[in-house]
Amino acid sequence: MTNQTVTRAEVTDAIVREVGVTRQESSDLLDKTLELIGSALEKEDEVKLSRFGNFVVRSKSAREGRNPKTGEEAVIAARRVVTFRPSPMLKSLVDKD
């Protein structure tokens, strides 16, 4: 098993190879796609990408926690987080042995 990270540049290069557009067009396409996803999540809309998965914004309540270094109790503020739920198709691709 390799622990390799796929970078934005690698995705851009893959779009150039697969779609046949210029590197600049590929970069612009990726940037716009990520911008649209981010904007939707900012408005707390759910983002559903067929055969990939769903991104959802969840609200988490304030709660008591502990500093792992000192063990001191602290209040964790309420916040919004993005969660991802993979599609069954993506799960099956990842689970292949």
Side-chain angles (χ1 to χ4, degrees):
M1 174 182 258
T2 63
N3 289 330
Q4 188 176 4
T5 301
V6 177
T7 65
R8 179 183 227 124
E10 291 171 334
V11 173
T12 299
D13 290 342
I15 293 170
V16 169
R17 282 191 310 273
E18 296 292 323
V19 180
V21 295
T22 68
R23 184 155 173 63
Q24 182 62 49
E25 290 171 328
S26 174
S27 179
D28 292 345
L29 177 65
L30 180 59
D31 288 344
K32 187 61 177 176
T33 301
L34 296 175
E35 180 185 315
L36 289 170
I37 291 170
S39 295
L41 293 171
E42 186 177 25
K43 294 185 290 187
E44 295 193 35
D45 292 341
E46 185 173 340
V47 177
K48 293 184 177 190
L49 301 175
S50 179
R51 299 182 311 189
F52 186 72
N54 300 334
F55 294 91
V56 180
V57 176
R58 282 188 30 219
S59 295
K60 296 182 99 176
S61 303
R63 61 187 171 91
E64 287 291 320
R66 289 190 186 280
N67 180 327
K69 285 187 177 179
T70 64
E72 183 179 320
E73 288 191 7
V75 175
I76 300 171
R79 60 200 167 120
R80 295 183 320 168
V81 296
V82 176
T83 60
F84 175 73
R85 183 167 185 177
S87 71
M89 183 177 172
L90 182 58
K91 282 183 182 180
S92 69
L93 285 173
V94 172
D95 195 31
K96 283 185 180 175
D97 288 338

